[in-house]
Amino acid sequence: ALAPRGRDGVWVGTEHGLVAVSGRGSVLPVAMDSGSRARVDAIAVDRMGRHWLAGADGARLVSIQLDEYGSYAGRTLFAHPAGLGGAAVTSLMLDRGGRLWIGTDGAGLHQLRALTVARLRQSDGLPKRNVHEVMGDGADGLWIAGGCGGLAHWRAGAVRVFLPPAM
């Protein structure tokens, strides 16, 4: 997982947690308050500079600060239990309204707003239960990529499905 970090750096999600990499070559792991070195499969940074991190253990909101020793320290502000709906989190996306969209491996797409969760499933029109990636469309909609080539576009509660041509 990757997310921009300032003008010349990047946040990198790894199997052992979050790492800050600068364009000058420094690599600094983020020490979490929980001591967790959990895998990070998705990263999103909100307008306030807070980080949403996600993986098999669910999604959590983290405040990351540079401490007096030049190391990064992460403090968990909010954690949602394992994987939302019992599935691992595969993708995160913050939309223009500040809502967090959370793709899962087997439990559809979730929207987190004001710490409440709404869910979009196959029964709501998604082509698959697995959501591998979610991306804003530049307006108020979402592109949703699922397993086996399933692609959907969501806007204003309506889902349009685009299936790959038969080969």
Side-chain angles (χ1 to χ4, degrees), residues 24-125:
R24 294 178 297 282
S26 67
V27 178
L28 295 170
V30 176
M32 296 302 298
D33 57 354
S34 64
S36 171
R37 305 273 305 155
R39 178 183 175 120
V40 175
D41 293 319
I43 307 165
V45 182
D46 69 17
R47 293 180 188 144
M48 295 171 50
R50 299 174 305 184
H51 297 69
W52 285 95
L53 308 177
D57 63 339
R60 59 195 179 280
L61 176 62
V62 177
S63 173
I64 298 174
Q65 303 294 323
L66 194 60
D67 68 17
E68 65 270 19
Y69 306 107
S71 298
Y72 282 102
R75 183 171 57 96
T76 302
L77 304 174
F78 170 77
H80 195 284
L84 299 140
V89 174
T90 57
S91 61
L92 297 173
M93 197 272 309
L94 285 155
D95 68 17
R96 296 185 316 171
R99 294 174 296 263
L100 180 70
W101 293 89
I102 305 167
T104 66
D105 187 14
L109 182 67
H110 301 258
Q111 180 195 77
L112 181 65
R113 184 176 188 184
L115 304 183
T116 60
V117 177
R119 187 170 167 190
L120 188 62
R121 303 174 282 230
Q122 267 186 299
S123 60
D124 300 311

Coordinates of all heavy atoms in Angstrom, one line a residue, residues 24-125:
R24 N 15.0 11.3 -0.1 CA 16.4 11.3 0.1 C 16.9 9.9 0.6 O 18.1 9.8 0.9 CB 16.8 12.4 1.2 CG 16.5 13.8 0.6 CD 16.8 14.9 1.6 NE 16.0 14.8 2.9 CZ 14.7 15.2 2.9 NH1 14.1 15.7 1.9 NH2 14.0 15.2 4.1
G25 N 16.0 9.0 0.7 CA 16.4 7.6 1.0 C 16.3 7.2 2.5 O 16.6 6.0 2.8
S26 N 15.8 8.0 3.4 CA 15.6 7.6 4.7 C 14.3 6.7 4.8 O 13.4 7.0 4.2 CB 15.5 8.7 5.7 OG 14.4 9.5 5.5
V27 N 14.4 5.7 5.7 CA 13.3 4.7 5.9 C 13.1 4.6 7.4 O 14.0 4.2 8.1 CB 13.6 3.3 5.3 CG1 12.5 2.4 5.6 CG2 13.9 3.4 3.8
L28 N 11.9 5.1 7.9 CA 11.6 5.1 9.3 C 10.3 4.3 9.6 O 9.3 4.7 9.1 CB 11.5 6.5 9.8 CG 12.7 7.4 9.8 CD1 12.3 8.9 10.1 CD2 13.7 6.9 10.7
P29 N 10.4 3.3 10.4 CA 9.1 2.6 10.7 C 8.3 3.4 11.7 O 8.9 4.3 12.5 CB 9.6 1.3 11.4 CG 11.0 1.6 11.9 CD 11.6 2.6 10.9
V30 N 7.0 3.3 11.7 CA 6.2 4.0 12.7 C 5.9 3.1 13.8 O 5.4 1.9 13.7 CB 4.8 4.4 12.0 CG1 3.9 5.0 13.0 CG2 5.1 5.3 10.8
A31 N 6.3 3.5 15.0 CA 6.0 2.8 16.3 C 4.6 3.1 16.7 O 4.3 4.2 17.1 CB 7.0 3.2 17.3
M32 N 3.8 2.0 16.7 CA 2.4 2.2 17.1 C 2.2 2.1 18.7 O 3.0 1.4 19.3 CB 1.5 1.2 16.5 CG 1.5 1.3 15.0 SD 0.9 2.9 14.4 CE -0.8 2.9 15.0
D33 N 1.2 2.9 19.2 CA 1.0 2.9 20.6 C 0.6 1.5 21.2 O 0.9 1.2 22.3 CB 0.0 3.9 21.0 CG -1.4 3.7 20.3 OD1 -1.5 2.9 19.4 OD2 -2.3 4.5 20.6
S34 N 0.0 0.7 20.4 CA -0.4 -0.6 20.8 C 0.8 -1.6 20.8 O 0.6 -2.7 21.2 CB -1.5 -1.1 19.9 OG -1.1 -1.3 18.6
G35 N 1.9 -1.2 20.2 CA 3.0 -2.1 20.0 C 2.8 -3.0 18.8 O 3.6 -3.8 18.5
S36 N 1.7 -2.8 18.1 CA 1.3 -3.7 17.0 C 2.2 -3.4 15.8 O 2.6 -2.3 15.5 CB -0.1 -3.4 16.5 OG -0.4 -4.0 15.3
R37 N 2.6 -4.5 15.1 CA 3.3 -4.5 13.9 C 2.5 -5.2 12.8 O 3.0 -5.9 12.0 CB 4.7 -5.1 14.0 CG 5.6 -4.6 15.2 CD 6.4 -3.4 14.9 NE 7.3 -3.7 13.7 CZ 7.8 -2.7 13.0 NH1 7.5 -1.4 13.3 NH2 8.5 -2.9 12.0
A38 N 1.2 -4.9 12.8 CA 0.2 -5.6 12.0 C 0.4 -5.1 10.5 O 0.8 -4.0 10.2 CB -1.2 -5.2 12.4
R39 N 0.2 -6.1 9.6 CA 0.2 -5.9 8.2 C -0.7 -4.7 7.8 O -1.8 -4.6 8.3 CB -0.2 -7.1 7.5 CG -0.3 -7.1 6.0 CD -0.8 -8.4 5.5 NE -1.0 -8.3 4.1 CZ -0.3 -9.1 3.2 NH1 0.4 -10.0 3.7 NH2 -0.5 -8.9 1.9
V40 N -0.2 -3.8 6.9 CA -0.9 -2.7 6.4 C -1.1 -2.9 4.9 O -0.2 -2.9 4.1 CB -0.2 -1.3 6.7 CG1 -1.0 -0.2 6.0 CG2 -0.1 -1.1 8.2
D41 N -2.4 -3.2 4.5 CA -2.7 -3.4 3.1 C -3.3 -2.2 2.4 O -3.4 -2.2 1.2 CB -3.7 -4.6 3.0 CG -3.2 -5.9 3.4 OD1 -2.0 -6.2 3.1 OD2 -3.9 -6.7 4.1
A42 N -3.7 -1.2 3.1 CA -4.3 0.0 2.5 C -4.1 1.2 3.4 O -4.1 1.0 4.7 CB -5.8 -0.2 2.3
I43 N -3.9 2.4 2.8 CA -3.6 3.6 3.5 C -4.5 4.7 2.9 O -4.5 4.8 1.7 CB -2.2 4.0 3.4 CG1 -1.2 2.9 3.8 CG2 -1.9 5.3 4.2 CD1 0.2 3.1 3.4
A44 N -5.1 5.6 3.7 CA -5.7 6.8 3.2 C -5.4 7.9 4.2 O -5.4 7.6 5.4 CB -7.2 6.6 3.1
V45 N -5.1 9.1 3.7 CA -4.8 10.2 4.6 C -5.9 11.2 4.5 O -6.3 11.7 3.3 CB -3.5 10.8 4.2 CG1 -3.1 12.0 5.2 CG2 -2.4 9.8 4.3
D46 N -6.6 11.6 5.6 CA -7.7 12.6 5.5 C -7.2 14.0 5.5 O -6.0 14.3 5.5 CB -8.7 12.3 6.6 CG -8.2 12.7 8.0 OD1 -7.2 13.4 8.2 OD2 -8.9 12.2 9.0
R47 N -8.1 15.0 5.4 CA -7.8 16.4 5.2 C -7.1 16.9 6.5 O -6.4 18.0 6.4 CB -9.1 17.2 5.0 CG -9.8 16.9 3.7 CD -11.0 17.7 3.6 NE -11.7 17.3 2.4 CZ -13.0 17.3 2.3 NH1 -13.8 17.6 3.3 NH2 -13.6 16.9 1.2
M48 N -7.3 16.3 7.6 CA -6.6 16.7 8.8 C -5.2 16.1 9.0 O -4.6 16.3 10.0 CB -7.5 16.4 10.0 CG -8.8 17.3 9.9 SD -10.1 16.8 11.2 CE -9.2 16.8 12.7
G49 N -4.8 15.3 8.0 CA -3.5 14.7 8.1 C -3.5 13.4 8.9 O -2.4 12.9 9.2
R50 N -4.6 12.9 9.3 CA -4.7 11.6 10.1 C -4.7 10.5 9.0 O -5.1 10.6 7.9 CB -6.0 11.6 10.9 CG -6.0 12.7 11.9 CD -7.3 12.7 12.7 NE -8.4 12.8 11.7 CZ -9.7 12.9 12.0 NH1 -10.1 12.9 13.3 NH2 -10.6 13.0 11.1
H51 N -4.2 9.4 9.5 CA -4.0 8.2 8.6 C -5.0 7.1 9.0 O -5.2 6.7 10.1 CB -2.6 7.7 8.8 CG -1.5 8.6 8.4 ND1 -1.3 9.8 9.1 CD2 -0.7 8.6 7.3 CE1 -0.3 10.4 8.5 NE2 0.1 9.8 7.4
W52 N -5.7 6.6 7.9 CA -6.5 5.4 8.1 C -5.6 4.3 7.5 O -5.1 4.3 6.4 CB -7.8 5.5 7.2 CG -8.8 6.4 7.8 CD1 -9.0 7.7 7.5 CD2 -9.7 6.1 8.8 NE1 -10.0 8.2 8.3 CE2 -10.5 7.2 9.1 CE3 -10.0 4.9 9.5 CZ2 -11.5 7.3 10.0 CZ3 -11.1 4.9 10.4 CH2 -11.8 6.1 10.7
L53 N -5.5 3.2 8.3 CA -4.7 2.1 8.0 C -5.6 0.9 8.0 O -6.5 0.8 8.9 CB -3.5 1.8 9.0 CG -2.6 3.0 9.2 CD1 -1.6 2.7 10.3 CD2 -2.0 3.5 7.9
A54 N -5.4 -0.1 7.1 CA -6.3 -1.3 7.1 C -5.5 -2.5 6.7 O -4.5 -2.4 6.0 CB -7.4 -1.0 6.2
G55 N -6.0 -3.6 7.2 CA -5.4 -4.9 6.8 C -6.4 -6.0 7.3 O -7.6 -5.8 7.5
A56 N -5.8 -7.2 7.6 CA -6.6 -8.3 8.0 C -7.3 -8.1 9.4 O -8.3 -8.7 9.7 CB -5.8 -9.6 8.1
D57 N -6.7 -7.2 10.2 CA -7.3 -6.9 11.5 C -8.3 -5.8 11.5 O -8.7 -5.3 12.6 CB -6.1 -6.6 12.5 CG -5.3 -5.4 12.2 OD1 -5.4 -5.0 11.0 OD2 -4.7 -4.9 13.1
G58 N -8.7 -5.3 10.3 CA -9.7 -4.3 10.3 C -9.1 -2.9 9.9 O -8.0 -2.9 9.3
A59 N -9.9 -1.9 10.2 CA -9.4 -0.5 9.8 C -9.3 0.3 11.1 O -10.0 0.1 12.1 CB -10.4 0.2 8.9
R60 N -8.3 1.2 11.1 CA -8.1 2.0 12.3 C -7.6 3.4 11.9 O -6.9 3.6 10.9 CB -7.1 1.4 13.3 CG -5.7 1.1 12.7 CD -5.0 0.1 13.6 NE -3.7 -0.2 13.1 CZ -3.4 -1.1 12.2 NH1 -4.4 -1.7 11.6 NH2 -2.2 -1.3 11.8
L61 N -8.0 4.4 12.6 CA -7.6 5.8 12.4 C -6.4 6.1 13.3 O -6.5 5.8 14.5 CB -8.7 6.8 12.7 CG -8.4 8.3 12.6 CD1 -8.0 8.6 11.2 CD2 -9.7 9.1 13.1
V62 N -5.3 6.6 12.8 CA -4.1 6.8 13.5 C -3.6 8.2 13.3 O -3.6 8.8 12.2 CB -3.0 5.8 13.0 CG1 -1.7 6.0 13.7 CG2 -3.5 4.4 13.2
S63 N -3.2 8.8 14.4 CA -2.5 10.1 14.4 C -1.0 9.8 14.5 O -0.5 9.1 15.4 CB -2.9 11.0 15.6 OG -2.1 12.1 15.7
I64 N -0.2 10.3 13.5 CA 1.2 10.0 13.4 C 2.0 11.3 13.6 O 1.8 12.3 13.0 CB 1.6 9.3 12.1 CG1 0.9 8.0 12.0 CG2 3.1 9.2 12.0 CD1 1.1 7.3 10.6
Q65 N 2.9 11.3 14.6 CA 3.7 12.5 14.9 C 5.2 12.1 14.9 O 5.6 11.0 15.2 CB 3.3 13.0 16.3 CG 1.9 13.3 16.5 CD 1.4 14.5 15.6 OE1 2.2 15.4 15.4 NE2 0.2 14.4 15.1
L66 N 6.0 13.1 14.6 CA 7.5 12.9 14.7 C 7.8 13.3 16.1 O 7.5 14.3 16.6 CB 8.2 13.8 13.7 CG 9.6 13.6 13.4 CD1 9.9 12.2 12.8 CD2 10.1 14.6 12.4
D67 N 8.5 12.3 16.8 CA 8.8 12.6 18.2 C 10.1 13.3 18.4 O 10.8 13.6 17.4 CB 8.7 11.3 19.1 CG 9.9 10.3 18.7 OD1 10.9 10.7 18.1 OD2 9.7 9.1 19.1
E68 N 10.5 13.6 19.6 CA 11.7 14.4 19.9 C 13.0 13.7 19.5 O 14.0 14.3 19.4 CB 11.7 14.8 21.3 CG 11.9 13.7 22.3 CD 10.5 13.2 22.8 OE1 9.5 13.4 22.1 OE2 10.5 12.5 23.9
Y69 N 12.9 12.4 19.2 CA 14.1 11.6 18.9 C 14.2 11.4 17.3 O 15.1 10.7 16.9 CB 14.1 10.2 19.6 CG 13.9 10.4 21.0 CD1 12.7 10.0 21.7 CD2 15.0 10.8 21.8 CE1 12.6 10.2 23.0 CE2 14.8 11.0 23.2 CZ 13.6 10.6 23.8 OH 13.5 10.8 25.1
G70 N 13.3 12.0 16.6 CA 13.3 11.9 15.1 C 12.7 10.6 14.6 O 12.9 10.1 13.5
S71 N 11.9 10.0 15.5 CA 11.1 8.7 15.1 C 9.7 9.0 15.0 O 9.2 10.0 15.6 CB 11.3 7.7 16.2 OG 12.7 7.3 16.3
Y72 N 9.0 8.2 14.2 CA 7.5 8.4 14.0 C 6.8 7.6 15.1 O 7.2 6.4 15.3 CB 7.1 8.0 12.7 CG 7.3 9.0 11.6 CD1 8.4 8.9 10.8 CD2 6.5 10.2 11.5 CE1 8.7 9.9 9.8 CE2 6.8 11.2 10.6 CZ 7.9 11.0 9.7 OH 8.1 12.0 8.8
A73 N 5.8 8.2 15.7 CA 5.0 7.4 16.7 C 3.5 7.5 16.3 O 3.1 8.6 15.9 CB 5.2 8.1 18.1
G74 N 2.8 6.4 16.3 CA 1.4 6.4 15.9 C 0.6 6.1 17.1 O 0.8 5.2 17.9
R75 N -0.5 6.9 17.2 CA -1.5 6.8 18.3 C -2.8 6.5 17.7 O -3.3 7.2 16.8 CB -1.5 8.1 19.1 CG -2.5 8.0 20.3 CD -2.3 9.2 21.2 NE -2.6 10.4 20.5 CZ -3.7 11.1 20.5 NH1 -4.7 10.6 21.1 NH2 -3.9 12.2 19.8
T76 N -3.4 5.3 18.0 CA -4.7 4.9 17.5 C -5.8 5.8 18.1 O -6.0 5.9 19.3 CB -5.0 3.4 17.8 OG1 -3.9 2.7 17.2 CG2 -6.3 3.0 17.2
L77 N -6.6 6.4 17.2 CA -7.7 7.2 17.6 C -9.1 6.5 17.6 O -10.0 6.8 18.4 CB -7.8 8.5 16.7 CG -6.5 9.3 16.7 CD1 -6.7 10.4 15.7 CD2 -6.2 9.9 18.0
F78 N -9.2 5.5 16.7 CA -10.4 4.8 16.5 C -10.0 3.5 15.8 O -9.2 3.5 14.9 CB -11.4 5.6 15.6 CG -12.6 4.8 15.1 CD1 -13.6 4.5 16.0 CD2 -12.6 4.2 13.9 CE1 -14.7 3.7 15.6 CE2 -13.7 3.5 13.4 CZ -14.8 3.3 14.3
A79 N -10.6 2.4 16.3 CA -10.3 1.1 15.6 C -11.7 0.3 15.4 O -12.5 0.3 16.4 CB -9.4 0.2 16.4
H80 N -11.9 -0.1 14.3 CA -13.1 -1.0 14.0 C -12.7 -2.4 14.1 O -11.6 -2.8 13.7 CB -13.6 -0.7 12.6 CG -15.0 -1.2 12.5 ND1 -15.3 -2.5 12.3 CD2 -16.2 -0.6 12.5 CE1 -16.6 -2.7 12.2 NE2 -17.2 -1.6 12.3
P81 N -13.5 -3.2 14.7 CA -13.1 -4.6 14.9 C -12.8 -5.4 13.6 O -13.3 -4.9 12.6 CB -14.3 -5.2 15.7 CG -15.4 -4.2 15.6 CD -14.8 -2.9 15.2
A82 N -12.2 -6.5 13.8 CA -11.7 -7.3 12.7 C -12.4 -7.2 11.4 O -13.5 -7.8 11.3 CB -11.5 -8.7 13.1
G83 N -11.9 -6.6 10.4 CA -12.3 -6.6 9.0 C -13.6 -6.2 8.6 O -14.0 -6.4 7.5
L84 N -14.5 -5.6 9.5 CA -15.8 -5.1 9.1 C -16.6 -6.3 8.4 O -16.3 -6.6 7.3 CB -15.7 -4.0 8.1 CG -15.0 -2.8 8.7 CD1 -14.1 -2.1 7.7 CD2 -16.0 -1.8 9.2
G85 N -17.5 -6.8 9.1 CA -18.3 -7.9 8.6 C -17.6 -9.2 8.5 O -17.9 -10.1 7.8
G86 N -16.5 -9.3 9.3 CA -15.8 -10.6 9.4 C -14.8 -10.8 8.3 O -14.2 -11.9 8.2
A87 N -14.5 -9.9 7.4 CA -13.6 -10.0 6.3 C -12.4 -9.1 6.4 O -12.6 -8.0 7.0 CB -14.3 -9.8 4.9
A88 N -11.3 -9.4 5.8 CA -10.2 -8.5 5.8 C -10.4 -7.3 4.9 O -11.2 -7.4 4.0 CB -8.9 -9.3 5.2
V89 N -9.8 -6.2 5.3 CA -10.0 -4.9 4.6 C -8.9 -4.9 3.5 O -7.7 -5.2 3.7 CB -9.8 -3.7 5.5 CG1 -9.8 -2.4 4.7 CG2 -10.9 -3.7 6.5
T90 N -9.3 -4.7 2.2 CA -8.4 -4.7 1.1 C -8.1 -3.3 0.5 O -7.1 -3.1 -0.2 CB -9.0 -5.5 -0.1 OG1 -10.3 -5.0 -0.4 CG2 -9.2 -7.0 0.4
S91 N -9.0 -2.3 0.7 CA -8.8 -1.0 0.1 C -9.5 0.1 0.9 O -10.5 -0.2 1.6 CB -9.3 -1.0 -1.3 OG -10.7 -1.2 -1.4
L92 N -9.0 1.3 0.9 CA -9.5 2.5 1.5 C -9.6 3.6 0.6 O -8.7 3.8 -0.3 CB -8.7 2.9 2.7 CG -8.5 1.9 3.9 CD1 -7.5 2.4 4.9 CD2 -9.8 1.7 4.6
M93 N -10.6 4.5 0.6 CA -10.7 5.6 -0.2 C -11.5 6.7 0.5 O -12.6 6.4 1.0 CB -11.3 5.3 -1.5 CG -11.1 6.4 -2.6 SD -12.2 7.8 -2.8 CE -13.8 7.0 -2.8
L94 N -11.0 7.9 0.7 CA -11.7 9.0 1.2 C -12.3 9.8 0.1 O -11.6 10.2 -0.8 CB -10.8 9.9 2.1 CG -10.4 9.3 3.4 CD1 -9.1 9.9 3.9 CD2 -11.5 9.6 4.4
D95 N -13.6 10.1 0.1 CA -14.3 10.8 -0.9 C -14.2 12.3 -0.6 O -13.8 12.7 0.5 CB -15.7 10.3 -1.2 CG -16.7 10.6 -0.1 OD1 -16.5 11.4 0.8 OD2 -17.8 9.9 -0.2
R96 N -14.7 13.2 -1.5 CA -14.7 14.6 -1.3 C -15.5 15.1 -0.1 O -15.2 16.1 0.4 CB -15.2 15.3 -2.6 CG -14.4 15.0 -3.8 CD -14.8 15.8 -5.0 NE -16.2 15.8 -5.3 CZ -16.8 16.5 -6.2 NH1 -16.1 17.3 -7.0 NH2 -18.1 16.4 -6.4
G97 N -16.4 14.3 0.3 CA -17.2 14.7 1.5 C -16.6 14.2 2.8 O -17.2 14.4 3.8
G98 N -15.5 13.6 2.7 CA -14.8 13.1 3.9 C -15.2 11.7 4.4 O -14.8 11.3 5.5
R99 N -16.1 11.1 3.6 CA -16.5 9.7 4.0 C -15.4 8.7 3.6 O -14.8 8.8 2.5 CB -17.8 9.4 3.3 CG -19.0 10.2 3.7 CD -20.2 9.9 2.9 NE -20.0 10.3 1.5 CZ -20.4 11.5 1.0 NH1 -21.0 12.4 1.7 NH2 -20.1 11.8 -0.3
L100 N -15.2 7.7 4.5 CA -14.2 6.7 4.2 C -15.0 5.5 3.6 O -15.9 5.0 4.2 CB -13.5 6.3 5.5 CG -12.5 5.2 5.3 CD1 -11.3 5.7 4.6 CD2 -12.1 4.7 6.7
W101 N -14.5 5.0 2.4 CA -15.0 3.8 1.8 C -14.0 2.7 2.0 O -12.8 2.9 1.8 CB -15.2 4.1 0.3 CG -16.3 5.1 0.0 CD1 -16.2 6.4 0.0 CD2 -17.7 4.8 -0.1 NE1 -17.4 7.0 -0.2 CE2 -18.3 6.1 -0.3 CE3 -18.5 3.7 -0.1 CZ2 -19.7 6.2 -0.5 CZ3 -19.8 3.8 -0.3 CH2 -20.4 5.0 -0.5
I102 N -14.5 1.6 2.5 CA -13.7 0.4 2.9 C -14.1 -0.8 2.1 O -15.2 -1.3 2.2 CB -13.9 0.2 4.4 CG1 -13.6 1.5 5.2 CG2 -13.0 -1.0 4.8 CD1 -14.1 1.4 6.6
G103 N -13.2 -1.3 1.2 CA -13.4 -2.5 0.5 C -12.9 -3.7 1.3 O -11.9 -3.6 2.0
T104 N -13.7 -4.8 1.2 CA -13.3 -6.0 2.0 C -13.2 -7.2 1.1 O -13.7 -7.2 0.0 CB -14.4 -6.3 3.1 OG1 -15.6 -6.6 2.5 CG2 -14.6 -5.1 4.0
D105 N -12.6 -8.2 1.6 CA -12.4 -9.5 0.9 C -13.6 -10.4 1.4 O -13.5 -11.1 2.3 CB -11.1 -10.1 1.3 CG -10.8 -11.4 0.5 OD1 -11.5 -11.6 -0.5 OD2 -9.9 -12.1 0.9
G106 N -14.7 -10.2 0.7 CA -15.8 -11.1 1.0 C -17.1 -10.5 1.6 O -18.1 -11.1 1.7
A107 N -17.0 -9.2 2.1 CA -18.1 -8.6 2.8 C -18.5 -7.3 2.1 O -19.2 -6.4 2.7 CB -17.8 -8.4 4.3
G108 N -18.2 -7.1 0.8 CA -18.6 -6.0 0.1 C -17.9 -4.7 0.4 O -16.7 -4.7 0.9
L109 N -18.6 -3.6 0.2 CA -18.0 -2.2 0.4 C -18.7 -1.6 1.6 O -20.0 -1.6 1.7 CB -18.2 -1.4 -0.9 CG -17.7 0.0 -0.9 CD1 -16.1 0.0 -0.8 CD2 -18.1 0.7 -2.2
H110 N -18.0 -0.9 2.4 CA -18.6 -0.2 3.6 C -18.3 1.3 3.5 O -17.2 1.7 3.0 CB -18.0 -0.8 4.9 CG -18.2 -2.2 5.1 ND1 -19.1 -2.7 5.9 CD2 -17.6 -3.3 4.5 CE1 -19.1 -4.1 5.9 NE2 -18.2 -4.4 5.0
Q111 N -19.2 2.1 4.0 CA -19.0 3.5 4.1 C -19.0 3.9 5.6 O -19.9 3.6 6.3 CB -20.1 4.3 3.4 CG -19.9 5.8 3.5 CD -21.2 6.5 3.1 OE1 -22.1 6.6 3.8 NE2 -21.2 7.0 1.8
L112 N -17.9 4.5 6.0 CA -17.8 5.0 7.4 C -17.9 6.5 7.4 O -17.2 7.2 6.8 CB -16.4 4.6 8.0 CG -16.2 4.9 9.5 CD1 -17.2 4.2 10.4 CD2 -14.8 4.6 9.9
R113 N -18.9 7.0 8.2 CA -19.1 8.4 8.3 C -19.6 8.7 9.7 O -20.6 8.1 10.2 CB -20.1 8.9 7.3 CG -20.3 10.4 7.3 CD -21.3 10.8 6.3 NE -21.3 12.3 6.2 CZ -22.0 13.0 5.4 NH1 -22.8 12.4 4.6 NH2 -22.0 14.3 5.4
A114 N -18.9 9.6 10.4 CA -19.3 9.9 11.8 C -19.3 8.7 12.7 O -20.2 8.5 13.5 CB -20.6 10.7 11.9
L115 N -18.4 7.8 12.4 CA -18.2 6.5 13.2 C -19.4 5.6 13.1 O -19.5 4.7 13.9 CB -17.8 6.8 14.6 CG -16.6 7.7 14.8 CD1 -16.2 7.8 16.2 CD2 -15.4 7.1 14.0
T116 N -20.2 5.7 12.1 CA -21.3 4.7 11.8 C -20.9 4.1 10.4 O -20.4 4.7 9.5 CB -22.7 5.3 11.7 OG1 -22.7 6.3 10.7 CG2 -23.0 5.9 13.1
V117 N -21.3 2.8 10.2 CA -21.0 2.1 9.0 C -22.2 1.7 8.3 O -23.2 1.2 8.8 CB -20.2 0.8 9.4 CG1 -19.9 0.0 8.2 CG2 -18.9 1.1 10.2
A118 N -22.2 2.0 6.9 CA -23.2 1.5 6.0 C -22.6 0.5 5.1 O -21.4 0.7 4.8 CB -23.8 2.7 5.2
R119 N -23.3 -0.5 4.6 CA -22.7 -1.5 3.8 C -23.4 -1.6 2.4 O -24.6 -1.5 2.3 CB -22.8 -2.8 4.6 CG -22.2 -4.0 3.9 CD -22.2 -5.1 4.9 NE -21.8 -6.4 4.3 CZ -21.9 -7.5 4.8 NH1 -22.4 -7.7 6.1 NH2 -21.5 -8.6 4.2
L120 N -22.6 -1.9 1.4 CA -23.0 -2.1 0.0 C -22.6 -3.5 -0.3 O -21.4 -3.8 -0.3 CB -22.4 -1.0 -0.9 CG -22.9 -1.0 -2.3 CD1 -24.4 -0.6 -2.4 CD2 -22.1 0.1 -3.1
R121 N -23.6 -4.4 -0.7 CA -23.3 -5.8 -0.9 C -23.8 -6.2 -2.3 O -24.3 -5.4 -3.1 CB -24.1 -6.6 0.1 CG -23.8 -6.3 1.5 CD -24.7 -7.1 2.4 NE -26.0 -6.4 2.5 CZ -26.6 -6.1 3.6 NH1 -26.1 -6.5 4.7 NH2 -27.8 -5.5 3.5
Q122 N -23.6 -7.5 -2.6 CA -24.1 -8.0 -3.9 C -25.6 -7.8 -4.0 O -26.1 -7.5 -5.1 CB -23.8 -9.5 -4.0 CG -22.5 -9.8 -4.7 CD -22.3 -11.3 -4.9 OE1 -22.2 -12.0 -3.9 NE2 -22.1 -11.7 -6.1
S123 N -26.3 -8.0 -2.9 CA -27.8 -7.8 -3.0 C -28.1 -6.3 -3.3 O -29.3 -6.0 -3.7 CB -28.4 -8.2 -1.7 OG -27.9 -7.5 -0.6
D124 N -27.2 -5.4 -3.2 CA -27.4 -4.0 -3.5 C -26.9 -3.7 -4.9 O -27.0 -2.5 -5.4 CB -26.6 -3.1 -2.5 CG -27.1 -3.3 -1.1 OD1 -28.3 -3.2 -0.9 OD2 -26.2 -3.4 -0.2
G125 N -26.4 -4.7 -5.6 CA -26.0 -4.5 -7.0 C -24.5 -4.7 -7.3 O -24.1 -4.7 -8.5

